[in-house]
Amino acid sequence: MVVFTVIAYLPAGTMTASVPPPRYGDGSQAWLRTANGQIVDGTGRKVLLRGFNDDALVSYPNDPPAPLDEMDATLMQQAGFDVVRLGIDWARLEPDRGRINQSYLDRVVGAVSMLNRHGLWVILDMHFRLGWSPRFGYSGAPPWATIGIPNWNPLHQSWSPALSPAAFTSDTYFWLTSDWKKDFYMTWQAVAARFKDNPGVAGYDIFNEAHPLPIPPRIFEKSYLWPMFKEAIEAIGAVDSNHLFFVEGILLLSLNTVVVHLKAPNLVYGTHVYEGSLVPPQWNGDPTYLRQRFQQRAKEAAEVPAPLWVGELGYDLGAKGATSYADAALDEADDLGIGWAWWQWRESRWWGIVDRAGQLVNMEVLRHLARPYIIATPTGVHAGRGDGLRGTLTIRVDPRHADQPIVIGWSALTLTAPITTGPCLASSQWDATTGRLTLQVDAATGCQLTLRAG
């Protein structure tokens, strides 16, 4: 026990992932990358990725997900959002060991193409749930990557699927050995090979919500989680070095993640925030604790170091306090200047903005989520908090700002057309079909711009 404790609290150290230089080709300005602790586009403008998760392509044998169609993409774009974190499934990608299911990969390509047509970047998320595999009723690993022991759980399956001996043992075997990881990396390479020339894919979210148990958490992160990220980035990068690499912290209530300093190009810390929602203490309207958790995630991102992006946050939309929680969480994101993906777009009426049948849109909640924000920000341009209910956004422009267009996500579904005022405003172009407002300001001139719904 003493030895484990000593190992757990030794310094985390440093790792380096060796990845070839990107090969963007002629359209280099279309690609996202990282620079100076931010996600940026090819012209150097900071980019905020804000949108939704969608799990239409993920295997949930006991609860099949809702579909994703053209209507969904249209609504997300018109509401001003610019990204979808799209779950994909190792189980479907490699149903038989060593064989990639090209027909499933074609479905992924089709979904990405549809979302790209509507101005939405896609983050491909290899989606695991606590139950480890569809064999045990959840998403994640293929049936062959499981240990054949009883799938029995004394508690309700919605509470603790990871406590099933079958899921518990299989998950642990993955982390403790190199056996299944080789296939996992190979599967990611097959995905990357299909998307290496597509700038509409923002990047690859390597492993969703890893949990440490039964390995002690600090040992798990230092000895297994971060080494896996390093190896996966090197494997993917050998095929495709053009995209962002998203890594996550652990999922174990409100336990902090021990960060290993990881040197890798285009790295993003895509953590999740569920404190006050799925993770206690339950939301009571006081934003203090939620703010602390956002600040902790920002600290972890700085330790990587990498830009911070919240890959999942959400709340039971049928519960009291849902909209006030959303407001508080998005205020923190605005204050930190970071992007996020809400869980999720289309599901049940308790969690989805659109119901399973695609017939009901929760406009009340969408008004809170679809707050105005700057999608592409030139240097020297700074936004305040957006207000999706009143339709307001204030932008400060420094005199030495970069002379580039400012692109704003403005919801045409929940707000009237924007009116922009300010002494340095040169031009304003509003497109309701795309939910985009493009501003140009006078060169070498500073001022405050005020945006409001007309």
mmCIF file of all heavy atoms in Angstrom, residues 382-421:
data_model
loop_
_atom_site.group_PDB
_atom_site.id
_atom_site.type_symbol
_atom_site.label_atom_id
_atom_site.label_comp_id
_atom_site.label_asym_id
_atom_site.label_seq_id
_atom_site.Cartn_x
_atom_site.Cartn_y
_atom_site.Cartn_z
ATOM 1 N N HIS A 382 -12.443 41.176 -28.782
ATOM 2 C CA HIS A 382 -12.814 40.473 -27.552
ATOM 3 C C HIS A 382 -14.329 40.559 -27.341
ATOM 4 O O HIS A 382 -14.903 41.647 -27.436
ATOM 5 C CB HIS A 382 -12.091 41.086 -26.350
ATOM 6 C CG HIS A 382 -10.643 41.361 -26.596
ATOM 7 N ND1 HIS A 382 -9.661 40.403 -26.440
ATOM 8 C CD2 HIS A 382 -10.012 42.493 -27.027
ATOM 9 C CE1 HIS A 382 -8.483 40.935 -26.739
ATOM 10 N NE2 HIS A 382 -8.668 42.193 -27.100
ATOM 11 N N ALA A 383 -14.954 39.418 -27.054
ATOM 12 C CA ALA A 383 -16.403 39.372 -26.852
ATOM 13 C C ALA A 383 -16.739 39.248 -25.377
ATOM 14 O O ALA A 383 -16.011 38.614 -24.604
ATOM 15 C CB ALA A 383 -17.006 38.210 -27.618
ATOM 16 N N GLY A 384 -17.871 39.831 -24.975
ATOM 17 C CA GLY A 384 -18.415 39.622 -23.648
ATOM 18 C C GLY A 384 -19.334 38.414 -23.641
ATOM 19 O O GLY A 384 -19.303 37.573 -24.546
ATOM 20 N N ARG A 385 -20.174 38.321 -22.634
ATOM 21 C CA ARG A 385 -21.140 37.232 -22.563
ATOM 22 C C ARG A 385 -22.273 37.470 -23.552
ATOM 23 O O ARG A 385 -22.813 38.572 -23.648
ATOM 24 C CB ARG A 385 -21.729 37.114 -21.161
ATOM 25 C CG ARG A 385 -20.765 36.631 -20.098
ATOM 26 C CD ARG A 385 -21.471 36.572 -18.740
ATOM 27 N NE ARG A 385 -20.603 36.056 -17.688
ATOM 28 C CZ ARG A 385 -20.969 35.949 -16.409
ATOM 29 N NH1 ARG A 385 -22.197 36.321 -16.042
ATOM 30 N NH2 ARG A 385 -20.130 35.468 -15.515
ATOM 31 N N GLY A 386 -22.618 36.428 -24.275
ATOM 32 C CA GLY A 386 -23.772 36.518 -25.152
ATOM 33 C C GLY A 386 -25.054 36.294 -24.368
ATOM 34 O O GLY A 386 -25.058 35.617 -23.332
ATOM 35 N N ASP A 387 -26.156 36.835 -24.848
ATOM 36 C CA ASP A 387 -27.464 36.673 -24.213
ATOM 37 C C ASP A 387 -28.433 36.186 -25.281
ATOM 38 O O ASP A 387 -28.812 36.935 -26.186
ATOM 39 C CB ASP A 387 -27.935 38.001 -23.622
ATOM 40 C CG ASP A 387 -29.193 37.859 -22.777
ATOM 41 O OD1 ASP A 387 -30.033 36.996 -23.102
ATOM 42 O OD2 ASP A 387 -29.343 38.617 -21.796
ATOM 43 N N GLY A 388 -28.827 34.928 -25.181
ATOM 44 C CA GLY A 388 -29.712 34.352 -26.171
ATOM 45 C C GLY A 388 -31.171 34.690 -25.962
ATOM 46 O O GLY A 388 -31.982 34.497 -26.876
ATOM 47 N N LEU A 389 -31.537 35.172 -24.785
ATOM 48 C CA LEU A 389 -32.924 35.530 -24.523
ATOM 49 C C LEU A 389 -33.231 36.935 -25.039
ATOM 50 O O LEU A 389 -34.238 37.153 -25.712
ATOM 51 C CB LEU A 389 -33.224 35.442 -23.033
ATOM 52 C CG LEU A 389 -33.057 34.050 -22.399
ATOM 53 C CD1 LEU A 389 -33.393 34.100 -20.919
ATOM 54 C CD2 LEU A 389 -33.940 33.024 -23.105
ATOM 55 N N ARG A 390 -32.351 37.883 -24.739
ATOM 56 C CA ARG A 390 -32.561 39.264 -25.185
ATOM 57 C C ARG A 390 -31.949 39.521 -26.550
ATOM 58 O O ARG A 390 -32.319 40.478 -27.230
ATOM 59 C CB ARG A 390 -31.964 40.229 -24.155
ATOM 60 C CG ARG A 390 -32.618 40.136 -22.787
ATOM 61 C CD ARG A 390 -31.905 41.039 -21.789
ATOM 62 N NE ARG A 390 -32.487 40.942 -20.459
ATOM 63 C CZ ARG A 390 -32.185 40.012 -19.569
ATOM 64 N NH1 ARG A 390 -31.280 39.078 -19.886
ATOM 65 N NH2 ARG A 390 -32.761 39.980 -18.395
ATOM 66 N N GLY A 391 -30.992 38.673 -26.944
ATOM 67 C CA GLY A 391 -30.337 38.872 -28.219
ATOM 68 C C GLY A 391 -29.352 40.012 -28.181
ATOM 69 O O GLY A 391 -29.517 41.021 -28.890
ATOM 70 N N THR A 392 -28.311 39.884 -27.346
ATOM 71 C CA THR A 392 -27.302 40.930 -27.230
ATOM 72 C C THR A 392 -25.901 40.325 -27.165
ATOM 73 O O THR A 392 -25.714 39.200 -26.702
ATOM 74 C CB THR A 392 -27.518 41.801 -25.973
ATOM 75 O OG1 THR A 392 -27.424 40.973 -24.801
ATOM 76 C CG2 THR A 392 -28.868 42.498 -26.000
ATOM 77 N N LEU A 393 -24.931 41.100 -27.634
ATOM 78 C CA LEU A 393 -23.529 40.747 -27.526
ATOM 79 C C LEU A 393 -22.721 42.031 -27.675
ATOM 80 O O LEU A 393 -22.996 42.846 -28.556
ATOM 81 C CB LEU A 393 -23.118 39.756 -28.625
ATOM 82 C CG LEU A 393 -21.652 39.303 -28.623
ATOM 83 C CD1 LEU A 393 -21.332 38.474 -27.386
ATOM 84 C CD2 LEU A 393 -21.314 38.524 -29.895
ATOM 85 N N THR A 394 -21.748 42.205 -26.788
ATOM 86 C CA THR A 394 -20.866 43.367 -26.845
ATOM 87 C C THR A 394 -19.465 42.903 -27.236
ATOM 88 O O THR A 394 -18.967 41.913 -26.699
ATOM 89 C CB THR A 394 -20.817 44.099 -25.496
ATOM 90 O OG1 THR A 394 -22.136 44.540 -25.151
ATOM 91 C CG2 THR A 394 -19.895 45.305 -25.559
ATOM 92 N N ILE A 395 -18.845 43.615 -28.165
ATOM 93 C CA ILE A 395 -17.522 43.261 -28.673
ATOM 94 C C ILE A 395 -16.594 44.461 -28.521
ATOM 95 O O ILE A 395 -16.945 45.586 -28.930
ATOM 96 C CB ILE A 395 -17.594 42.842 -30.156
ATOM 97 C CG1 ILE A 395 -18.499 41.620 -30.319
ATOM 98 C CG2 ILE A 395 -16.204 42.554 -30.705
ATOM 99 C CD1 ILE A 395 -18.758 41.239 -31.764
ATOM 100 N N ARG A 396 -15.427 44.236 -27.942
ATOM 101 C CA ARG A 396 -14.411 45.290 -27.826
ATOM 102 C C ARG A 396 -13.358 45.085 -28.906
ATOM 103 O O ARG A 396 -12.800 43.991 -29.039
ATOM 104 C CB ARG A 396 -13.752 45.259 -26.450
ATOM 105 C CG ARG A 396 -12.817 46.445 -26.208
ATOM 106 C CD ARG A 396 -12.133 46.392 -24.858
ATOM 107 N NE ARG A 396 -10.922 45.570 -24.881
ATOM 108 C CZ ARG A 396 -10.788 44.407 -24.265
ATOM 109 N NH1 ARG A 396 -11.802 43.890 -23.595
ATOM 110 N NH2 ARG A 396 -9.648 43.738 -24.333
ATOM 111 N N VAL A 397 -13.103 46.122 -29.663
ATOM 112 C CA VAL A 397 -12.110 46.066 -30.736
ATOM 113 C C VAL A 397 -10.936 46.962 -30.360
ATOM 114 O O VAL A 397 -11.103 48.154 -30.145
ATOM 115 C CB VAL A 397 -12.720 46.529 -32.083
ATOM 116 C CG1 VAL A 397 -11.678 46.455 -33.192
ATOM 117 C CG2 VAL A 397 -13.945 45.694 -32.438
ATOM 118 N N ASP A 398 -9.746 46.374 -30.248
ATOM 119 C CA ASP A 398 -8.542 47.149 -29.947
ATOM 120 C C ASP A 398 -8.060 47.877 -31.201
ATOM 121 O O ASP A 398 -8.263 47.387 -32.324
ATOM 122 C CB ASP A 398 -7.418 46.234 -29.449
ATOM 123 C CG ASP A 398 -7.772 45.542 -28.136
ATOM 124 O OD1 ASP A 398 -8.662 46.046 -27.422
ATOM 125 O OD2 ASP A 398 -7.170 44.483 -27.845
ATOM 126 N N PRO A 399 -7.400 49.033 -31.032
ATOM 127 C CA PRO A 399 -6.900 49.756 -32.210
ATOM 128 C C PRO A 399 -5.947 48.930 -33.070
ATOM 129 O O PRO A 399 -5.896 49.114 -34.290
ATOM 130 C CB PRO A 399 -6.184 50.968 -31.595
ATOM 131 C CG PRO A 399 -6.850 51.166 -30.270
ATOM 132 C CD PRO A 399 -7.186 49.785 -29.787
ATOM 133 N N ARG A 400 -5.203 48.010 -32.473
ATOM 134 C CA ARG A 400 -4.240 47.216 -33.233
ATOM 135 C C ARG A 400 -4.800 45.847 -33.620
ATOM 136 O O ARG A 400 -4.056 44.878 -33.743
ATOM 137 C CB ARG A 400 -2.955 47.040 -32.428
ATOM 138 C CG ARG A 400 -2.213 48.357 -32.179
ATOM 139 C CD ARG A 400 -0.875 48.111 -31.492
ATOM 140 N NE ARG A 400 -0.131 49.356 -31.300
ATOM 141 C CZ ARG A 400 1.072 49.422 -30.748
ATOM 142 N NH1 ARG A 400 1.674 48.301 -30.319
ATOM 143 N NH2 ARG A 400 1.685 50.586 -30.610
ATOM 144 N N HIS A 401 -6.079 45.786 -33.840
ATOM 145 C CA HIS A 401 -6.702 44.516 -34.214
ATOM 146 C C HIS A 401 -6.235 44.076 -35.590
ATOM 147 O O HIS A 401 -5.838 44.892 -36.442
ATOM 148 C CB HIS A 401 -8.220 44.654 -34.208
ATOM 149 C CG HIS A 401 -8.732 45.592 -35.267
ATOM 150 N ND1 HIS A 401 -8.997 45.198 -36.569
ATOM 151 C CD2 HIS A 401 -9.037 46.914 -35.224
ATOM 152 C CE1 HIS A 401 -9.437 46.213 -37.272
ATOM 153 N NE2 HIS A 401 -9.475 47.288 -36.491
ATOM 154 N N ALA A 402 -6.285 42.757 -35.818
ATOM 155 C CA ALA A 402 -5.991 42.228 -37.153
ATOM 156 C C ALA A 402 -7.118 42.609 -38.108
ATOM 157 O O ALA A 402 -8.301 42.575 -37.746
ATOM 158 C CB ALA A 402 -5.825 40.715 -37.094
ATOM 159 N N ASP A 403 -6.755 42.991 -39.310
ATOM 160 C CA ASP A 403 -7.742 43.452 -40.286
ATOM 161 C C ASP A 403 -8.346 42.244 -41.008
ATOM 162 O O ASP A 403 -8.041 41.961 -42.169
ATOM 163 C CB ASP A 403 -7.077 44.414 -41.277
ATOM 164 C CG ASP A 403 -8.102 45.096 -42.181
ATOM 165 O OD1 ASP A 403 -9.294 45.083 -41.824
ATOM 166 O OD2 ASP A 403 -7.702 45.623 -43.234
ATOM 167 N N GLN A 404 -9.216 41.525 -40.289
ATOM 168 C CA GLN A 404 -9.862 40.325 -40.814
ATOM 169 C C GLN A 404 -11.340 40.351 -40.457
ATOM 170 O O GLN A 404 -11.741 40.997 -39.473
ATOM 171 C CB GLN A 404 -9.215 39.065 -40.216
ATOM 172 C CG GLN A 404 -7.754 38.880 -40.565
ATOM 173 C CD GLN A 404 -7.137 37.766 -39.730
ATOM 174 O OE1 GLN A 404 -7.237 37.757 -38.498
ATOM 175 N NE2 GLN A 404 -6.487 36.826 -40.405
ATOM 176 N N PRO A 405 -12.186 39.639 -41.191
ATOM 177 C CA PRO A 405 -13.612 39.593 -40.863
ATOM 178 C C PRO A 405 -13.856 38.940 -39.501
ATOM 179 O O PRO A 405 -13.134 38.017 -39.096
ATOM 180 C CB PRO A 405 -14.212 38.755 -41.987
ATOM 181 C CG PRO A 405 -13.216 38.792 -43.087
ATOM 182 C CD PRO A 405 -11.874 38.906 -42.434
ATOM 183 N N ILE A 406 -14.878 39.414 -38.809
ATOM 184 C CA ILE A 406 -15.350 38.822 -37.560
ATOM 185 C C ILE A 406 -16.611 38.036 -37.897
ATOM 186 O O ILE A 406 -17.572 38.594 -38.431
ATOM 187 C CB ILE A 406 -15.678 39.913 -36.518
ATOM 188 C CG1 ILE A 406 -14.470 40.820 -36.280
ATOM 189 C CG2 ILE A 406 -16.165 39.286 -35.215
ATOM 190 C CD1 ILE A 406 -14.814 42.087 -35.491
ATOM 191 N N VAL A 407 -16.616 36.738 -37.622
ATOM 192 C CA VAL A 407 -17.769 35.894 -37.941
ATOM 193 C C VAL A 407 -18.482 35.536 -36.642
ATOM 194 O O VAL A 407 -17.868 35.010 -35.701
ATOM 195 C CB VAL A 407 -17.346 34.618 -38.688
ATOM 196 C CG1 VAL A 407 -18.567 33.768 -39.015
ATOM 197 C CG2 VAL A 407 -16.592 34.976 -39.967
ATOM 198 N N ILE A 408 -19.776 35.797 -36.591
ATOM 199 C CA ILE A 408 -20.574 35.621 -35.370
ATOM 200 C C ILE A 408 -21.686 34.614 -35.627
ATOM 201 O O ILE A 408 -22.358 34.657 -36.665
ATOM 202 C CB ILE A 408 -21.172 36.971 -34.926
ATOM 203 C CG1 ILE A 408 -20.041 37.927 -34.514
ATOM 204 C CG2 ILE A 408 -22.166 36.804 -33.791
ATOM 205 C CD1 ILE A 408 -20.436 39.364 -34.496
ATOM 206 N N GLY A 409 -21.863 33.696 -34.676
ATOM 207 C CA GLY A 409 -23.008 32.812 -34.700
ATOM 208 C C GLY A 409 -24.192 33.514 -34.065
ATOM 209 O O GLY A 409 -24.126 33.895 -32.896
ATOM 210 N N TRP A 410 -25.255 33.688 -34.849
ATOM 211 C CA TRP A 410 -26.444 34.419 -34.370
ATOM 212 C C TRP A 410 -27.672 33.610 -34.783
ATOM 213 O O TRP A 410 -27.891 33.349 -35.964
ATOM 214 C CB TRP A 410 -26.486 35.819 -34.982
ATOM 215 C CG TRP A 410 -27.607 36.685 -34.482
ATOM 216 C CD1 TRP A 410 -28.914 36.659 -34.886
ATOM 217 C CD2 TRP A 410 -27.514 37.700 -33.488
ATOM 218 N NE1 TRP A 410 -29.645 37.589 -34.190
ATOM 219 C CE2 TRP A 410 -28.806 38.251 -33.331
ATOM 220 C CE3 TRP A 410 -26.466 38.203 -32.708
ATOM 221 C CZ2 TRP A 410 -29.076 39.281 -32.423
ATOM 222 C CZ3 TRP A 410 -26.745 39.219 -31.814
ATOM 223 C CH2 TRP A 410 -28.023 39.752 -31.675
ATOM 224 N N SER A 411 -28.471 33.192 -33.834
ATOM 225 C CA SER A 411 -29.558 32.256 -34.097
ATOM 226 C C SER A 411 -30.705 32.901 -34.855
ATOM 227 O O SER A 411 -31.373 33.822 -34.353
ATOM 228 C CB SER A 411 -30.088 31.678 -32.783
ATOM 229 O OG SER A 411 -31.229 30.877 -33.024
ATOM 230 N N ALA A 412 -30.949 32.409 -36.070
ATOM 231 C CA ALA A 412 -32.110 32.857 -36.835
ATOM 232 C C ALA A 412 -33.381 32.143 -36.400
ATOM 233 O O ALA A 412 -34.481 32.550 -36.789
ATOM 234 C CB ALA A 412 -31.861 32.624 -38.324
ATOM 235 N N LEU A 413 -33.239 31.096 -35.584
ATOM 236 C CA LEU A 413 -34.417 30.355 -35.105
ATOM 237 C C LEU A 413 -35.052 31.020 -33.901
ATOM 238 O O LEU A 413 -36.276 30.971 -33.740
ATOM 239 C CB LEU A 413 -34.015 28.923 -34.726
ATOM 240 C CG LEU A 413 -33.621 27.977 -35.848
ATOM 241 C CD1 LEU A 413 -33.307 26.605 -35.271
ATOM 242 C CD2 LEU A 413 -34.716 27.873 -36.894
ATOM 243 N N THR A 414 -34.244 31.620 -33.043
ATOM 244 C CA THR A 414 -34.752 32.119 -31.769
ATOM 245 C C THR A 414 -34.633 33.630 -31.615
ATOM 246 O O THR A 414 -35.132 34.180 -30.636
ATOM 247 C CB THR A 414 -33.999 31.445 -30.608
ATOM 248 O OG1 THR A 414 -32.593 31.693 -30.756
ATOM 249 C CG2 THR A 414 -34.244 29.948 -30.595
ATOM 250 N N LEU A 415 -33.960 34.301 -32.560
ATOM 251 C CA LEU A 415 -33.763 35.750 -32.475
ATOM 252 C C LEU A 415 -34.153 36.400 -33.793
ATOM 253 O O LEU A 415 -34.079 35.774 -34.847
ATOM 254 C CB LEU A 415 -32.297 36.081 -32.167
ATOM 255 C CG LEU A 415 -31.740 35.621 -30.823
ATOM 256 C CD1 LEU A 415 -30.232 35.839 -30.778
ATOM 257 C CD2 LEU A 415 -32.423 36.323 -29.661
ATOM 258 N N THR A 416 -34.529 37.663 -33.710
ATOM 259 C CA THR A 416 -34.722 38.436 -34.932
ATOM 260 C C THR A 416 -33.360 38.869 -35.478
ATOM 261 O O THR A 416 -32.329 38.687 -34.825
ATOM 262 C CB THR A 416 -35.601 39.665 -34.661
ATOM 263 O OG1 THR A 416 -35.027 40.420 -33.579
ATOM 264 C CG2 THR A 416 -37.011 39.248 -34.286
ATOM 265 N N ALA A 417 -33.348 39.446 -36.662
ATOM 266 C CA ALA A 417 -32.096 39.817 -37.320
ATOM 267 C C ALA A 417 -31.291 40.789 -36.456
ATOM 268 O O ALA A 417 -31.859 41.663 -35.794
ATOM 269 C CB ALA A 417 -32.390 40.447 -38.680
ATOM 270 N N PRO A 418 -29.960 40.662 -36.470
ATOM 271 C CA PRO A 418 -29.126 41.508 -35.612
ATOM 272 C C PRO A 418 -28.931 42.917 -36.185
ATOM 273 O O PRO A 418 -28.866 43.109 -37.399
ATOM 274 C CB PRO A 418 -27.796 40.756 -35.579
ATOM 275 C CG PRO A 418 -27.747 40.035 -36.895
ATOM 276 C CD PRO A 418 -29.166 39.674 -37.214
ATOM 277 N N ILE A 419 -28.822 43.869 -35.267
ATOM 278 C CA ILE A 419 -28.450 45.241 -35.601
ATOM 279 C C ILE A 419 -27.136 45.529 -34.900
ATOM 280 O O ILE A 419 -27.021 45.329 -33.677
ATOM 281 C CB ILE A 419 -29.529 46.243 -35.153
ATOM 282 C CG1 ILE A 419 -30.841 45.977 -35.893
ATOM 283 C CG2 ILE A 419 -29.056 47.687 -35.381
ATOM 284 C CD1 ILE A 419 -32.001 46.815 -35.394
ATOM 285 N N THR A 420 -26.140 45.982 -35.644
ATOM 286 C CA THR A 420 -24.814 46.237 -35.091
ATOM 287 C C THR A 420 -24.512 47.724 -35.164
ATOM 288 O O THR A 420 -24.698 48.359 -36.208
ATOM 289 C CB THR A 420 -23.732 45.471 -35.871
ATOM 290 O OG1 THR A 420 -24.101 44.092 -35.940
ATOM 291 C CG2 THR A 420 -22.379 45.610 -35.189
ATOM 292 N N THR A 421 -24.040 48.283 -34.051
ATOM 293 C CA THR A 421 -23.659 49.689 -34.015
ATOM 294 C C THR A 421 -22.281 49.822 -33.392
ATOM 295 O O THR A 421 -21.870 49.008 -32.566
ATOM 296 C CB THR A 421 -24.671 50.522 -33.208
ATOM 297 O OG1 THR A 421 -24.773 49.981 -31.879
ATOM 298 C CG2 THR A 421 -26.044 50.507 -33.858
#
